[in-house]
Amino acid sequence: MARLFNDPGSFAEEMLEGFAAAQAHRVRRVPGGVVRRDRARSGEVAVVIGGGSGHYPAFSGLVGDGLAHGAAMGNLFASPSAQQVRSVATSAHNGGGVLLCYGNYAGDVLHFGLAEQRLRGDGIDCRTVVVTDDVSSAPADERDKRRGVAGDLVVFKAAAAAAAAGYDLDEVARVAAHANDRTRSFGVAFGGCTLPGADEPLFTVPDGKMAVGLGIHGEPGIAEQDVPSADELAELFVRTLLAEVPDGVEVAGSRVVVLLNGLGSVKYEELFVVYRRVAALLAEAGVEVVEPEVGELVTSFDMAGASLTLCWLDEELERFWRAPADSAAYRKTPAAAYRKTPAVAAADVEAGEDFVALDVIPPATGESRESARCALAALEAVKSTVDDNVAELGRIDAVAGDGDHGIGMQRGADAAVAAAREAVERGAGAGSTLNRAADAWADRAGGTSGALWGVALRAIGAEFGDETAPGPRTTGAAVRAAADAVVRLGKAELGDKTMVDVLVPFADELESALTAGSGLATAWDAAATTAAKAAEATASLRPLRGRARPLAEKSLGTPDAGAVSLSLITRAVHAVLAR
């Protein structure tokens, strides 16, 4: 467990600050992450990677010559926000366009996707390749649903080497996708990880047992079995991955990259004991290993576990795997010497060279400014409710997810209230106040819920505007717009065991009651009651979206954390409306 920290809420930011200071000759800080200290040649495609903190060397440690041009870093196990990704990509861009490359997690997909839209709107050509190497997280015929784990390194390396070789953006994206198609990973764990400030690990494994098929965000495995010997673990790894060889590949006579990865607490010496048997088994199968890597490549904080990755090479992929690289955490051969540049990491963050935030409060009527105060009161009630229930929301989420829902909601609500309060003090109308709260929530919370709450609040803000005081019908339309925005972005449907299972019935009941002539407080009360029943009903559902999907059976009997938090929030807001 983490022993060295100050404020757990500031851990990720302080970690990144220290990393940038220690590696100031290689990287510089920008809002949202780090980029290379020295720019690549003009016109080179910029490969921007990223994800949550807690996985070092991924992602910041893989920024450097021959590897990524920038890394967007979120909070612990939470995706970076769209704002962070956009900032890093804008700073890394050098005229050749940007490839966004990251693991296939719901929050990352949402935030990186929004960032890509905004980058295109900024005139920066952009492509995305999502890494899907974890064989345990979905069957072979649903590879697009698989998570990205330690295979990230192979895909990032191939894309960056292609960019350095002068490939254009489409070709760099093709190489990255090709590397992903030929990469498979499988992992196990003997114990869960414990986040800074937490008293308990995100999951536990019974003594003498091993969790099989875990994720890198503290998700428990999909099965348990007796702890094997090192040789038996090697045999499980190799047997599992040789059972799924990419189309068109013959095992005998093939060449592969091998990554034996420690997830945080398994020591290098233990990994080498496992690798000796992995190498022997691959040789027996007629597979030639090319420049293997054994060590910590993608970790999960202090998780006791390991994973094996195989990437089946062709001539192009082998050339790019062997290409020079020099980053803080990964080096191939000596790269070009860095020119001597004054290194003051903090100044880089403040400058934010390529990223400028506009801070203008649009004009608003007196009616709308008064409504903004009501919106602030509602957000303060949301914050209070989340604070009161943060531990329980985390417990519910940990049953089949990573246990960070409560913490993420707390970060988002805190940031939203602070942003809304500042906006109100500066005379913002209701629409602008909610827009600022939305961006703050999404930026600070990260993760899936951060993105979804961000778009929901923005949709409500768009309906309210800054001209008039929104009446009951407008409020009902705003809630409907929020539901539509969440469904559109998250792609979830009723029955998928997400917040949609509460949000849509809540919007339906609110509109129905308002149409029948009820006042807003009365209608909202009825809708909140419907929301509570809908949240309870998610306990009987199997998750079809998000991190809990691979652990559908474990989640039975437990309601969805996002559905529960939304239900609690609707009731808290009713108390404000009733006043």
Side-chain angles (χ1 to χ4, degrees):
M1 60 182 293
R3 297 174 177 85
L4 301 176
F5 58 90
N6 299 309
D7 177 1
S10 302
F11 183 90
E13 182 67 21
E14 291 179 350
M15 175 276 298
L16 191 58
E17 180 182 347
F19 169 77
Q23 294 293 325
H25 57 297
R26 285 193 175 92
V27 302
R28 59 188 177 91
R29 284 200 68 191
V30 296
V34 295
V35 297
R36 291 185 189 178
R37 163 65 57 183
D38 293 340
R39 283 188 176 275
R41 60 179 173 76
S42 179
E44 182 173 314
V45 174
V47 177
V48 173
I49 63 175
S53 299
H55 303 301
Y56 191 85
F59 298 91
S60 58
L62 303 180
V63 174
D65 278 359
L67 263 167
H69 298 73
M73 301 291 293
N75 283 299
L76 288 172
F77 295 177
S79 65
S81 68
Q83 193 88 326
Q84 290 175 301
V85 177
R86 181 187 176 203
S87 168
V88 172
T90 302
S91 298
H93 181 240
N94 203 30
V98 174
L99 175 70
L100 301 177
C101 200
Y102 51 90
N104 188 28
Y105 292 88
D108 294 298
V109 171
L110 293 180
H111 284 287
F112 275 87
L114 288 172
E116 180 176 359
Q117 294 175 21
R118 294 184 181 181
L119 287 166
R120 290 180 180 276
D122 294 339
I124 297 177
D125 200 8
C126 197
R127 302 286 185 279
T128 290
V129 172
V130 180
V131 183
T132 56
D133 58 307
D134 179 16
V135 301
S136 66
S137 56
D141 60 354
E142 295 181 338
R143 284 200 64 225
D144 61 317
K145 295 181 179 178
R146 286 180 170 175
R147 303 176 291 209
V149 285
D152 283 354
L153 174 61
V154 183
V155 180
F156 298 164
K157 178 76 168 57
Y167 283 29
D168 65 19
L169 182 55
D170 286 332
E171 279 296 283
V172 170
R174 177 192 63 79
V175 168
H178 181 48
N180 181 59
D181 287 342
R182 284 178 164 246
T183 302
R184 306 287 188 275
S185 298
F186 180 71
V188 301
F190 312 102
C193 52
T194 305
L195 300 183
D199 295 325
E200 301 291 338
L202 293 179
F203 72 92
T204 58
V205 181
D207 290 343
K209 295 292 183 179
M210 173 180 72
V212 178
L214 74 157
I216 60 168
H217 292 88
E219 306 97 326
I222 59 175
E224 291 177 355
Q225 64 181 63
D226 292 340
V227 173
S229 67
D231 282 357
E232 289 169 341
L233 178 58
E235 289 160 11
L236 173 64
F237 277 155
V238 174
R239 180 174 66 251
T240 301
L241 294 185
L242 290 187
E244 190 183 310
V245 178
D247 293 340
V249 172
E250 294 291 335
V251 173
S254 60
R255 296 163 69 81
V256 298
V257 168
V258 178
L259 309 179
L260 183 57
N261 176 56
L263 283 161
S265 293
V266 174
K267 307 309 295 180
Y268 278 68
E269 289 86 346
E270 296 171 89
L271 293 172
F272 285 127
V273 173
V274 175
Y275 184 74
R276 54 175 272 289
R277 183 59 178 154
V278 168
L281 290 169
L282 290 174
E284 290 171 12
V287 177
E288 183 174 351
V289 176
V290 177
E291 296 186 5
E293 295 289 346
V294 178
E296 291 186 346
L297 305 168
V298 178
T299 63
S300 186
F301 218 70
D302 64 338
M303 184 186 291
S307 64
L308 183 71
T309 298
L310 299 183
C311 176
W312 302 83
L313 298 172
D314 57 18
E315 186 277 334
E316 181 181 50
L317 290 178
E318 181 170 342
R319 183 172 75 253
F320 289 148
W321 177 246
R322 292 180 179 273
D326 184 16
S327 70
Y330 186 83
R331 300 163 200 171
K332 270 290 187 184
T333 57
Y338 292 90
R339 68 175 184 266
K340 296 185 181 300
T341 306
V344 183
D348 293 334
V349 180
E350 293 172 4
E353 295 175 3
D354 304 307
F355 187 79
V356 179
L358 298 178
D359 189 27
V360 177
I361 296 290
T365 65
E367 287 181 320
S368 187
R369 287 197 296 270
E370 187 60 32
S371 295
R373 295 186 181 279
C374 294
L376 173 58
L379 288 169
E380 289 171 338
V382 169
K383 177 184 180 303
S384 178
T385 295
V386 171
D387 288 343
D388 290 343
N389 293 276
V390 63
E392 177 62 9
L393 293 174
R395 185 197 68 77
I396 294 172
D397 190 37
V399 171
D402 56 15
D404 71 342
H405 181 72
I407 296 172
M409 290 290 289
Q410 190 174 49
R411 285 195 300 253
D414 286 349
V417 167
R421 187 174 293 133
E422 180 188 11
V424 168
E425 289 172 354
R426 296 176 59 190
S432 294
T433 296
L434 286 169
N435 286 342
R436 283 170 175 263
D439 288 347
W441 189 310
D443 191 47
R444 185 75 179 99
T448 303
S449 65
L452 297 178
W453 274 94
V455 299
L457 290 174
R458 266 200 165 268
I460 295 172
E463 290 292 326
F464 281 6
D466 294 329
E467 298 298 321
T468 61
R473 291 297 180 91
T474 301
T475 303
V479 171
R480 173 61 64 192
D484 291 344
V486 167
V487 170
R488 188 164 52 249
L489 179 63
K491 303 295 192 295
E493 301 175 355
L494 287 171
D496 284 352
K497 196 166 186 172
T498 70
M499 67 184 291
V500 168
D501 291 304
V502 169
L503 184 54
V504 170
F506 175 77
D508 290 345
E509 179 62 29
L510 181 62
E511 284 190 328
S512 176
L514 290 172
T515 300
S518 296
L520 179 57
T522 301
W524 195 284
D525 182 29
T529 299
T530 296
K533 294 177 181 177
E536 292 174 6
T538 62
S540 64
L541 299 175
R542 289 178 172 80
L544 301 179
R545 295 277 175 180
R547 292 178 186 165
R549 182 184 53 77
L551 303 168
E553 296 303 321
K554 286 191 174 185
S555 78
L556 282 175
T558 302
D560 177 68
V564 171
S565 63
L566 175 57
S567 170
L568 293 170
I569 284 168
T570 62
R571 180 52 64 190
V573 172
H574 170 255
V576 176
L577 296 177
R579 292 198 301 269

